[in-house]
Structures are given as structure tokens and as C-alpha cells.
Amino acid sequence: MEELQKALNDGRSLTVSTLPDKGRCLFTSRHFSPGEVIISQEPYVAVPNKNSNDSSSRCEWCLSTRNLKKCSACQVVWYCGSTCQKTDWKLHRLECQVLSKVEKGRIKSLTPSIRLMVKLYLRRKLQVEQLACNAHTICDAELRPLATGLYPVISLINHSCLPNSVLVFEGRLAVVRAVEHIPKGTEVLISYIETAASTMTRQKALKEQYFFTCTCPRCIKAGQYDDIKESAILEGYCCKDNSCSGFLLRDPENRGFVCQECGLLREKEEIKDIEWEVKYLIEKASMCSSGNKIDASLTYKAIEKQQLELCHPFSINLMRTRETLLKIYMELQNWKEALAYCRFVIPIYERVYPRLHPLVGLQYYTCGKLEWFLGETNEAIQSLTKAVDVLRITHGTSTSFMKELLIKLEEARAEASYSLSCKDDQ
């Protein structure tokens, strides 16, 4: 493949090897330091995510949401200006002819997946080359999904639940950066799935979505004591004694679950009652979360209360509930509550994700912005500094997102310095 050969020749830092149990893999042919770009690639084809509201549409080429105008011929594809339209015209010229023939009533049925397959067929028709690769969700700097794209070279990178690299996007450009020191001759690995989960849950997701069984350093520990303990913490129950931080395992006599630290038994009936109540509240929340946000917040607070009685403090379910409450309070512009839940989530993130994970950095960034807005400047400096420590590795330092973060940190420091000098003058 021409793009693969070009990527391998650029800098001569990668090689392709074929392993019996994995197929083709990317290996380093030199050392990489944390934050260093290993490989980047524009998509072979890409399609913006579909939105029911035209005001939320995106430019077909750069994914911008500003100054959008529809293609006058097909009335389906949007562009932010003539530059993007001209850049995309070679391929869109063919797709435009196809889209123009679709009945207006059926346009809404054109999902991103269908359009992606059409564009893939048309591009292959133009270039007459074979292609087989995974689709990637193109996200913005804060990991919000924007589009779907095919990246043939990036797709050679295999999965690990303990990856040495991270995939982020700069517009349409896919960028893989090292998150640890990677010696020469090491396989480049990213994560395909959400890794904040037990081994059983991760394996199930990989089997269902990608049809393979992971044998990474985390997964090969399945069934060992440390893995059983980790699963019980992430997806199990807490001890009845609030002062005990132990994890629970099933009682051999099937009476319930026993704390492995203090030996207390939680009976099955008690656990079932709380689980039933949580399930009822989650169903109730699903009916009100899209409408009245205040009602949704009250329902999720009730879910949180029940989960605090049931789940371990580092439970994934509890973490997800608090993430939802953070989002709701942000939408309600209740900044104090939003900050409280942002702070609740950070310790769990630091427990379930590697230190240099984008979500850890982004959570500190959110925390820092809220603290600064609420006048907690010194706390904001600490949070923004921690955000920079992570995100400069995962996102680099040259993007507009990172430049904005660095500016915020400098402004917060300047404000703190000014406040301190004023106190000294008094």
C-alpha cells in the first residue's frame, strides 16, 4: 500500500512485522519518548456524524461548525467555505452524483456508516486498490465524537488494555503519541475500548466488537488474586462497615458476599433489594434526563445514594453516575455542584486509568476552569498544572486546544501573583 510505504519511509522509525496470532503489526525501529509523535495520518475517507439539527452539522472536510453552506447540487454535504469544498471536490464530485439521485424522503436514512461505505467504494474506484481496516471515531481535543474515518496505516496498530501509545485527533488528522518510553523493536499498542473495567468486561467487549481475545499484561492475569480483587473493586460491592475499605467476594455457602478485610457478610437479599431500587431509578432517570434537568439531577442523586450503600468507592457504576451528575450540573450552570462532582470523579479516574490518560488530564482541566471561575485561583493553578502535565504528552503542545490551556494557566498564575502582591502592599 502506497500510504503504508510512505509512512514507513518517513523518518524510518517504524517497521511492519507479521505475527502468527496477530497478523500485521507496527514495531518501532528507534526509541520514542513520552509525548513524541509515532505516526500520523489523514483519513482515507471520513464522514461527519449525523445530526438531526442542521445547526449542528459539520464541514465535510475540516469538521468545523462555522459559516456552513450546503453543496448546491446534492443538498446533503456541508462546507465552511470554498477552500474545503475544492479540496474535497475530487471525491465529492462522484458522491454528489450519487446523492443527487436519492429521493428527498430517504435522505434522512443515509447514516454515516452508509455514506462511509459509499465514499470508500468511490475512492477505491478512483485509485483501484484494495483496503481492509477498522473504522475510527474522529473526536475533538476533549474526546467528543465528530465523525467516522478510515485510517489504513493506523489500523495496523494492535490493541492492549495497557497501551504504550494513545490515539488522538487534530481535526481529521489521526496522531499516535507515545505515553511511555518505547524502546527500539517494541510493538506500538493503543487501546480500542474503554479500559476502566474488569478483565471479564474488557474481554467481552473485545470479543463482541473486534472478535479477538486480548493477551496483554492485564488480561493474562485473569483469575489470579490481584485480578479478582480488582474486578471486585471495580464492579463489586462495598463492606457493610462504612469504616472498612475492603472488597467483597462470594460466600462459599452462597449466603451472600464476604468482606475480605473484616469478614462481615452482606446477605444476598439485602444486595438484591438495593440493586432493584437502583434499576428502578435508572429507568426513571432515562425518562426525565432528556427533559427536565433538575428532575434528572434529583433522580441521579438518589441513584448515587443507593450506590454509595452498595458499591465500592472506586466502583465504575458509581463513577458513571457522578460523571452524569457533573454533566447535568454543567448544563444547569450550577458551577459549585459541578466542581464538587468533578472532584469526586478525579480520584476514581486516577485509580482506573493510567497516569498519562487523556481523560485524567481533561478532568483536571475541567476542574481547573471551574475553580478559576469560582475564584479559587490557587486550586485552579494546581489543577491546570496537572492537566498540562498529562495533556502535553497525549495532545502535544502545538494545537489550539493546548495553547488555550497554557494561556489559561499563565493567566491564573498572573492573577495569583497580582493578588499576593496586593496583600504584601497592604
Side-chain angles (χ1 to χ4, degrees), residues 44-290:
Y44 187 78
V45 289
V47 176
N49 287 352
K50 188 174 182 179
N51 296 283
S52 57
N53 187 347
D54 281 350
S55 64
S56 300
S57 298
R58 295 185 178 276
C59 173
E60 188 77 6
W61 186 256
C62 72
L63 306 179
S64 170
T65 57
R66 299 179 180 179
N67 305 318
L68 297 180
K69 290 183 180 180
K70 279 184 178 179
C71 169
S72 58
C74 68
Q75 292 290 307
V76 174
V77 174
W78 296 79
Y79 293 103
C80 64
S82 58
T83 301
C84 285
Q85 189 169 16
K86 288 177 181 177
T87 305
D88 194 41
W89 180 242
K90 183 178 179 181
L91 181 58
H92 182 60
R93 173 177 58 85
L94 300 177
E95 188 194 18
C96 193
Q97 295 172 9
V98 176
L99 295 175
S100 298
K101 295 176 182 177
V102 179
E103 295 177 11
K104 288 186 178 180
R106 295 188 176 182
I107 289 294
K108 290 184 178 180
S109 300
L110 287 175
T111 64
S113 297
I114 293 173
R115 285 198 55 218
L116 196 69
M117 292 303 102
V118 171
K119 293 182 77 169
L120 173 59
Y121 168 78
L122 294 172
R123 176 152 184 187
R124 286 175 62 181
K125 190 176 179 181
L126 282 173
Q127 297 188 327
V128 195
E129 65 176 41
Q130 297 299 311
L131 180 74
C133 66
N134 297 329
H136 286 86
T137 300
I138 301 171
C139 299
D140 66 9
E142 297 184 62
L143 305 187
R144 293 173 295 213
L146 306 178
T148 304
L150 298 180
Y151 297 83
V153 181
I154 300 294
S155 290
L156 292 176
I157 301 175
N158 284 316
H159 164 85
S160 172
C161 299
L162 197 63
N164 54 22
S165 311
V166 65
L167 170 63
V168 295
F169 294 88
E170 298 173 7
R172 290 161 43 104
L173 183 70
V175 181
V176 177
R177 287 188 175 87
V179 292
E180 61 185 51
H181 288 283
I182 304 178
K184 178 181 177 180
T186 303
E187 184 181 2
V188 179
L189 298 164
I190 60 175
S191 176
Y192 292 180
I193 60 167
E194 168 62 83
T195 57
S198 68
T199 299
M200 185 180 296
T201 300
R202 297 195 313 273
Q203 290 281 15
K204 184 174 183 289
L206 290 166
K207 200 75 173 176
E208 290 177 351
Q209 297 175 46
Y210 298 97
F211 311 106
F212 72 86
T213 300
C214 182
T215 56
C216 74
R218 285 184 72 185
C219 289
I220 60 173
K221 293 179 180 179
Q224 297 179 16
Y225 176 80
D226 287 347
D227 181 68
I228 293 171
K229 177 181 177 180
E230 183 73 0
S231 298
I233 289 172
L234 297 181
E235 298 176 3
Y237 309 116
C238 64
C239 181
K240 287 179 68 172
D241 183 352
N242 293 332
S243 64
C244 178
S245 60
F247 65 98
L248 277 60
L249 295 180
R250 190 179 296 276
D251 173 44
E253 298 178 9
N254 203 28
R255 295 173 298 165
F257 293 81
V258 179
C259 177
Q260 301 303 295
E261 189 164 314
C262 70
L264 276 178
L265 172 74
R266 290 199 77 167
E267 295 181 352
K268 288 192 297 184
E269 289 72 19
E270 177 197 0
I271 289 173
K272 283 181 180 179
D273 288 345
I274 300 176
E275 286 183 331
W276 184 90
E277 181 66 20
V278 170
K279 184 179 179 181
Y280 164 75
L281 289 168
I282 289 173
E283 290 175 356
K284 180 182 177 182
S286 67
M287 292 185 284
C288 67
S289 58
S290 59

